[in-house]
Every structure is written in structure tokens, then in C-alpha cells.
Amino acid sequence: MPAAPSSAPRGRRLLPSLLGGGRAVAAGAAALVLLAAYPVPGADALAAGPAADPAALVDPLIGTDGVVHTFPGPVTPFGMMQLGPDTAPKRPYGGGYSYPAKRLSGFSLTHVSGPGCPAGGDLPLLPVSGAPPADPGSATVGFSHARETVRTGFYGVTDDSGTRTELSSAARAGIARFTFPAGKEARLLLKLRGSATPVDGTRVRFVSDREVVGSVESGHFCRAENTYTLHFAIVFDRPVAGGGTWRGDRIDAVEGPGGREVSGGDGAYAVFDPAAGRTVTARIGISYTSQEGARRNLDKEVAGKDVRALESASHAAWNRVLGRIRVAGGTRAEQVRFYTALYHALLHPNVFSDVDGGYAGMDGRRHTVPAGHPQYATFSGWDTYRSQAQLMALVDPQVASDMVSSMLRDHEQSGSLPKWTLNNGESWVMIGDPADGIIAGAYAFGARGFDAHRALQVMVRQAVSPNPARPGQAVRDRLGYLPVDGKDWGCCHFYGTVSTQLEYDNADYAVAALARALGDRATYTRFAGRAQDWANLFDRSSGYLRPRLSSGAFASGFTPGATRGFVEGTSAQYTPMVAFNLRRLIEGRGGARAWSRYLDGLLADPRRPSPTRADLNNEPSMGIPWQYDWTGEPWKAQRAVRAVQQALWNNSPAGQFGNDDLGAMSSWYVWSMLGLYPAVPGTDLLVLNSPAFPSATVSQPGAAPFTVRGHGAAADAPYVQGLRLGGRAHGAPWLRFGDLRGRTLDFTLGRSPAKGWGAAASAAPPSDATGQLPWPKG
């Protein structure tokens, strides 16, 4: 979550008794207005049996207010094109659309869901009627939500001038249909320099009186040096009556079809004769390889189709993937939140190769992927390795496998696995080596369509050899920790020594986990052992992880809420981030009772994070509520997770919390509503809370389906009274993913905690203190 504010505005809601007497909690006046005004049809109605049309339950407007930064435009699962609206004057990072805004600046071809820095927003298209704007680049139009239609696969709006825009997308192409007011001149502005980030170069050419092609060079995610080139081809269904380009305040007309190519301009425009009809349909293809690639993508995916046909295909594509988790029961509002979160979790990474398999590599050259296995790009690694990669593997193991293969190709071309890449450029934003958790996590949750042994070799090489993905590793090897006063880091983007070391430890344990799954005992022992060097930063006198100096002494001036040595967090928030060996950490802090009190303080009010409370708006705190499963108090985990669900999620544009970070936060919600959470990145360990629905069936392609049942499930009944797995009593608050295949997990739930369930010390989830977990049989 780079450069992100700490939290989004909150709505006013009545929290159930488990949070303290059902008291009203007021927060965020803007969100309060939105909750009152935003319609949620049938929000309180009880839902029936398994959702027959989950795509119809998705509300793309959820997350378009505050700092969530999602986008409402139509997109296919993991699609290259994200055609959709951008608002003005506020244009949120990545998503581009702010629900409270009153004006639109255009409909751009690319968006990124939920980042903490500007991204995407390339080539906004803006239809305008009447007189041409004096400054086309800054032109906007007014709009109202009353004239807006948003649903899965479709976006439509009628602006204040009466111009109607309707959008739908395929994977690499889309269709925009513009219906202009009768009797007024109709024109379409192509804002070549309208990207959300700086534009280094532009090209545009009118190929004929029906086609415009060009390119935009942009990138610079989080002010980094990474760049990409987006090529586009636009074909109109009727002739252009006139057109031209502009640069600053100079406007140049293009004479006749096949006009010259213009380089470096600010934009282009096409004029349509109102006498020939009010509606103009633009079919748009994009590519990161060439204009020819963009045209091939257009011809393959949208030629001969209309908006409705494309919407129908997109809706069906979403139903195929969303339908792999079929929830039944609960309220309609709960199902809307669940499927919207699942939708947001499956937007990225994105298809990056053209229909012919060509793609722009990390080395800037054109490469080709095997047929049927697209290249994927845009990895928000620090955010997504914790739970989004695992969820992707759960519902679409083939995409997850192709994603890992894409990462391995990125390594071949650049020398390192992706860290935070935007398209085919590495930004080095954030810390750690998150690719290890993504790859091992995908494998642990069912992705088997990649060369896992080769992946392990690459992961090991990156973990032990000098490379830009692991700055400071040589210092860590020498001292056993990263000193806060150190200087010899190498490159790239190194900061936050304690946080970085914890990230390296988690990455090392993910390497160990994959090695263990593949039967490589030596690599497992080596990396599971190296992952334990977090203990060199643990201060037993305070019970916290602390920054340490090169001399070996702990740095002075420490408090639990200190930020020195930490990234987007504090020592209080980061100390629990040793889930792979939590038992040893708990013992070091004084045992289960002391750890439980610590968790009580961290989770005292999920609505109001502070330096000494968990910030459940952000990734480092995501797994904290489940740590009660290690203290013999799983009932507290059940209570805490339900409190977070109800306090920080609702059915309004401000109905998520924090940046969604390319599905990271949404994946947390999906897992938590199932009553499961992948606690240790890279492993198949699932810790339990309680399911929110009476039934949820997961049908993973290539595996036997499993069902999670919540007998007595209700918003105010989060407490597990008993549990059966495959018909047999299960007394532990954890299991392995493989335990679920072909089975039913039956929770019996109630309104009062059953404090004895899962309380035995022997029932706690496993911890790996020295890299010596019992070796798998067989």
C-alpha cells in the first residue's frame, strides 16, 4: 500500500452486541451521507439457496469513495483493458473515479484497482457536443448518479449535455457507444496526455476516415523510472467528418483519410456529422507490443459485436469464476459484499500478451508465450502475497499457474522476480521479496500448472545471490539482522530495517515451504532455519521487535508506537508478523495469557487504528485477529474477525477500508467470510474463525469440491460451538488445505462463546521453531 492514507471515511452503523451493547458509532460525515443516499435494493432481505447469478450481485461502485480506489468500469477477470470513467477534479489513484465527484474528465482505457499511487488512466476518451472546448485537454462534463448505470460488464452514463456513453470490455479490447443530442455537432476527444502519471511521448495517426491508431508512453509508478508503451487502435462504425490534433492551445486539422502521424501531441479529436445519425460506436483494441497488435486484438475480440453482446460475454465470464464459490443463505447485502470482494480480488494481475501470444518483456523486447497460456503483468507483491495469491489459486488454479510462469519469464528477462511491477516495468516500490510467498502460496492452494522445481531454483538463487530484489541481504547474512544505522544496502528502494527483515524472514519461510512440499529436505531446513533470525531483533525486556544498531545494541528512544525501522506501521503492529513460528514469539513475550492481553489491546477498536493498535486498513495487521487460535482462545478470534467485518465493510461506495491494493483487502474479506484464513504465507495452513453463511461450496477446477457449512450462521452468532470435518469431530482451530478436498466442514455456531472448544494447548496451530517440522509421509 505505497504512500496511502491510513483509512477511508466510515459510515455510521449499529454494531451488534458482541461489539458492546449495540451502541451507535459515528464516523465520517461524507460516508454517512453516502450510506443514507446510496440505494441497496433488498439489502435486508434474506437470501435463498446458492446464488444462481453471482455476477449480478457484484456492485462495482463499492470502494469508489474514500481511499479504497477501486474502479466501476467494465472489465473481464484479469483483463488487460479496464475501460471506464475518470472524475474531476478528484481522480483517485488507479481507480480514477470518486463517487462524490460531479464531473467526468473522460473514459480511459486502463485502470488499476486500489493502489496507493497514481497508475493507469491511459487515453481518456471524452465525447462532447456543441461548440468545441477552448482547452480540450482539461475539458470535463457534468454528470449525475441518477443517470448512471453500473453493473458487471457494463457502465453507462448520460452527462449533463445529454450525451449518453455506454461501455463494455473484452480481455484486450472494448466497445464505447456514444449517443449525442440531436442537432448538435458531435466530437470525440482523445486525451493523449491524460494518463494518471506523467506521459513521456505520444503518437497518433488517422489511418482512414474510420480508424485512428497511436501510442502513449507512460509509467513512473510511485515516481519510479519504470515505463511502458500502450498502443491503441480505434475503429468507428461511421466515417469521421473531420478531425485533428492539438498541442497546448494550438489545434491542427487533419485533411482527409490517411492523415500524417503526429508525434508528441497532447491529443486528437474526431468530428461526426450529426445529420448522419446520433450514435457513434467505437471499437477499441490495446496492446503493449505494437499498433498492429492492438488492431489484431480488436479484430479478434470485438469486431462485429455490440455493447450488449460484449456485456453478456463478460457477465458469463465472471459467473464462471465467481461461481466457483457458491454461497447460500445470509442476507442479500452480505452476498453483495462477498461477491463484490471476490470480484475485486480477481481483477489483477492482468493479461499482458496479445491474442497471438506476443508481449513486451521486462527487457523491452517482444516475446511469445505458448498458446493458451497468457503472460500476466502488474504484481503488487507486498500486498498480494498474504492472501490474494492463495485465493486466486483456489478459484482459478490455471490462471495462478500461468501467473507464476509469467513471473519466471520476468526473472529470465530482468534478473529478478517481480516485486511491484506495473506492466513490463519494475518500480521496486515497497520492501521484502514477496514473489516467494506468491509462488509458494499459489502452489500450496492448488496451482500445479507450472514448473515448481524450476521456480524453487529461481527463488533460492534470488534469496542467496546479490540482486536488486533483496537489498541488504549480504548485511543480514553477516550480522544476522539488518541494522537501522547501516548504509551498505545495494539497490533498490531499501528502508525500514525491521519491517524489511520480517519480510525476508517470511519470504525465506515460503521458500522452505515450497521445498518441503517438493521433498527437498535440505533446502527446507536451510531456509526455515534462516527465517528465524527475527529473534535477533526481539527484545525480551519489552516484548517487542526493535531496531538494532550495527554495534549490536538496540537503538534508543524506543516505544511500541515508534515508526523508526518500520514501513507503514509500528513495532506494536509488526511484532506479531512471525506467524510461521508464533509459539516461540508467544513464549518470548511471557506466554499465552500475556500474548492474549497484547492482542486484546491491538484489536480494541478496529475502527480507530493508532500507533499501538492494529491497523486493519493495511497489510501488516491482516493476520492478527486469528492469533488467538494460538493462545487457546479461538472464540476471541471468532469475535474479533466478525467485529472487523461489521465495522469496516458495508454496502456503499465507502464500504471498504483502506486501499484495496489490487485485491489484497478484498481477499481478506472473502477468506474471513468463509471462516478460513491462510495464516502462514507460502504454506497450506488455514486457521479458523467462523463462516458468515449457512453454506459455501468451493469447486476448484481439477479437484473435488468442498463445502463449509455454518449451522446457525447469523451476524450476531460468530462463536463456534462445535466442528466436524468429513463427519468426524474436529477440535482444533486449524487445518490443512488438503484436508478439505471432497469433504464438508460443519460448524455449529451460536451467540455465546464456547470457551472450551479448541482451547487445549495441543490444539494450537503448528509453529516451526528451527526448520524441523515433522516431514510429510510418502
Side-chain angles (χ1 to χ4, degrees):
M1 190 179 292
S6 63
S7 62
R10 303 284 179 255
R12 184 178 185 271
R13 23 187 321 110
L14 289 176
L15 303 180
S17 59
L18 67 125
L19 292 178
R23 62 190 174 88
V25 180
L32 172 60
V33 172
L34 283 172
L35 279 169
Y38 186 71
V40 185
D44 295 324
L46 288 175
D53 185 4
L57 291 165
V58 172
D59 183 352
L61 287 172
I62 291 177
T64 57
D65 188 30
V67 296
V68 187
H69 300 161
T70 60
F71 60 85
V75 60
T76 59
F78 311 107
M80 177 191 290
M81 174 174 275
Q82 306 92 24
L83 180 60
D86 297 288
T87 55
K90 183 179 180 182
R91 187 184 194 181
Y93 297 161
Y97 177 98
S98 174
Y99 189 84
K102 304 299 182 184
R103 300 194 70 80
L104 295 169
S105 59
F107 304 93
S108 58
L109 308 186
T110 61
H111 292 90
V112 179
S113 185
C117 289
D122 298 311
L123 191 66
L125 309 177
L126 183 66
V128 294
S129 60
D135 182 1
S138 60
T140 62
V141 295
F143 81 109
S144 165
H145 297 303
R147 301 190 301 271
E148 185 179 52
T149 304
V150 186
R151 56 182 179 257
T152 304
F154 178 82
Y155 178 88
V157 65
T158 301
D159 66 34
D160 290 353
S161 75
T163 300
R164 177 72 176 169
T165 297
E166 298 167 284
L167 310 173
S168 193
S169 294
R172 304 167 181 86
I175 299 177
R177 181 169 61 198
F178 308 106
T179 303
F180 294 91
K184 292 186 177 180
E185 186 177 66
R187 69 182 59 222
L188 183 66
L189 307 179
L190 283 64
K191 298 184 176 182
L192 296 171
R193 291 192 178 273
S195 300
T197 53
V199 173
D200 297 329
T202 67
R203 291 184 180 276
V204 67
R205 180 165 65 97
F206 284 79
V207 176
S208 68
D209 62 356
R210 290 177 182 261
E211 182 175 1
V212 182
V213 300
S215 62
V216 173
E217 299 169 31
S218 189
H220 307 290
F221 180 73
C222 278
R223 299 171 297 279
E225 296 180 0
N226 60 319
T227 61
Y228 60 84
T229 300
L230 177 78
H231 303 273
F232 64 88
I234 304 176
V235 175
F236 302 108
D237 69 337
R238 50 185 277 201
V240 174
T245 62
W246 76 84
R247 188 194 306 262
D249 58 1
R250 176 181 172 180
I251 299 177
D252 296 311
V254 174
E255 298 295 335
R260 64 181 176 85
E261 183 170 278
V262 176
S263 176
D266 294 342
Y269 67 93
V271 180
F272 301 93
D273 183 358
R278 295 175 53 199
T279 299
V280 176
T281 297
R283 293 178 174 83
I284 310 158
I286 60 172
S287 167
Y288 292 90
T289 61
S290 65
Q291 292 173 7
E292 294 77 16
R295 181 57 196 258
R296 281 192 295 270
N297 292 340
L298 183 159
D299 290 340
K300 179 69 173 180
E301 296 189 344
V302 300
K305 298 179 181 178
D306 60 19
V307 168
R308 299 302 174 201
L310 214 56
E311 177 191 356
S312 178
S314 177
H315 191 97
W318 276 111
N319 265 339
R320 281 193 294 275
V321 65
L322 297 176
R324 288 172 184 159
I325 304 181
R326 292 279 185 184
V327 300
T331 66
R332 177 179 172 82
E334 288 171 332
Q335 291 195 2
V336 166
R337 284 196 297 275
F338 179 84
Y339 281 113
T340 301
L342 183 56
Y343 169 90
H344 283 146
L346 303 177
L347 293 173
H348 304 286
N350 305 107
V351 169
F352 195 62
S353 50
D354 297 336
V355 293
D356 63 357
Y359 72 96
M362 298 294 286
D363 56 2
R365 300 176 181 176
R366 187 182 187 277
H367 301 267
T368 304
V369 291
H373 297 278
Q375 178 76 6
Y376 287 87
T378 302
F379 294 96
S380 179
W382 185 81
D383 307 293
T384 61
Y385 83 86
R386 304 165 201 266
S387 62
Q388 189 269 348
Q390 296 88 328
L391 181 62
M392 189 192 328
L394 180 72
V395 299
D396 203 328
Q398 186 57 61
V399 166
S401 296
D402 288 338
M403 171 197 69
V404 173
S405 296
S406 299
M407 298 172 76
L408 297 177
R409 285 189 285 266
D410 289 346
H411 180 273
E412 288 177 357
Q413 297 156 15
S414 69
S416 64
L417 292 164
K419 195 165 187 173
W420 213 124
T421 58
L422 181 64
N423 297 321
N424 61 321
E426 176 61 77
S427 69
W428 308 115
V429 168
M430 303 310 295
I431 58 172
D433 191 0
D436 295 330
I438 292 173
I439 295 170
Y443 186 88
F445 283 86
R448 295 291 191 272
F450 66 94
D451 188 339
H453 289 278
R454 175 170 164 258
L456 179 61
Q457 292 174 351
V458 169
M459 292 158 67
V460 169
R461 188 182 313 136
Q462 180 154 301
V464 301
S465 305
N467 66 85
R470 283 212 186 200
Q473 181 59 54
V475 178
R476 178 188 173 211
D477 289 339
R478 185 174 71 252
L479 297 178
Y481 63 94
L482 295 172
V484 73
D485 59 344
K487 295 183 173 62
D488 186 21
W489 306 124
C491 79
C492 300
H493 199 72
F494 182 91
Y495 65 119
T497 54
V498 181
S499 295
T500 297
Q501 183 165 334
L502 283 173
E503 293 290 348
Y504 288 167
D505 290 337
N506 277 272
D508 282 351
Y509 199 80
V511 175
L514 182 58
R516 187 170 185 267
L518 297 177
D520 185 343
R521 188 188 297 263
T523 300
Y524 159 68
T525 302
R526 176 186 184 187
F527 281 89
R530 190 170 83 161
Q532 310 306 325
D533 67 11
W534 60 270
N536 295 330
L537 298 178
F538 184 71
D539 175 20
R540 282 182 174 269
S541 65
S542 68
Y544 289 96
L545 293 166
R546 292 181 53 179
R548 203 165 184 171
L549 302 172
S550 299
S551 66
F554 285 112
S556 61
F558 173 78
T559 65
T563 59
R564 185 187 184 195
F566 297 91
V567 176
E568 294 190 18
T570 65
S571 178
Q573 294 161 355
Y574 265 94
T575 292
M577 211 177 90
V578 191
F580 57 84
N581 193 4
L582 193 56
R583 183 177 300 168
R584 184 179 176 193
L585 181 61
I586 290 172
E587 291 170 352
R589 210 174 199 276
R593 298 287 72 75
W595 193 259
S596 180
R597 289 192 296 272
Y598 173 44
L599 297 179
D600 291 345
L602 286 174
L603 298 167
D605 190 345
R607 302 175 309 279
R608 296 181 179 88
S610 75
T612 55
R613 286 200 293 262
D615 182 1
L616 289 153
N617 300 304
N618 210 2
E619 283 75 7
S621 294
M622 286 172 68
I624 289 175
W626 283 272
Q627 295 198 354
Y628 290 112
D629 286 349
W630 276 265
T631 69
E633 300 165 308
W635 66 273
K636 283 189 174 182
Q638 298 149 22
R639 179 181 67 179
V641 174
R642 186 60 50 88
V644 175
Q645 291 168 343
Q646 295 181 340
L648 302 183
W649 298 76
N650 61 62
N651 293 53
S652 79
Q656 276 182 243
F657 55 96
N659 301 156
D660 198 45
D661 288 321
L662 288 73
M665 291 300 170
S666 288
S667 65
W668 181 99
Y669 187 74
V670 171
W671 281 113
S672 74
M673 293 290 277
L674 293 175
L676 314 168
Y677 188 72
V680 180
T683 77
D684 63 349
L685 178 67
L686 288 168
V687 288
L688 309 181
N689 52 297
S690 56
F693 297 104
S695 177
T697 297
V698 179
S699 300
Q700 184 183 51
F706 67 87
T707 298
V708 179
R709 290 178 181 161
H711 302 279
D716 59 351
Y719 297 110
V720 177
Q721 311 296 302
L723 180 63
R724 301 184 75 84
L725 175 60
R728 294 184 178 182
H730 186 82
W734 65 277
L735 43 76
R736 299 287 184 184
F737 173 63
D739 297 337
L740 286 171
R741 294 180 184 273
R743 294 180 174 177
T744 297
L745 188 63
D746 282 291
F747 290 84
T748 299
L749 305 175
R751 290 176 169 80
S752 299
K755 296 184 180 181
W757 183 82
S762 60
S767 290
D768 193 354
T770 59
Q772 296 297 327
L773 278 180
W775 198 251
K777 295 179 181 180

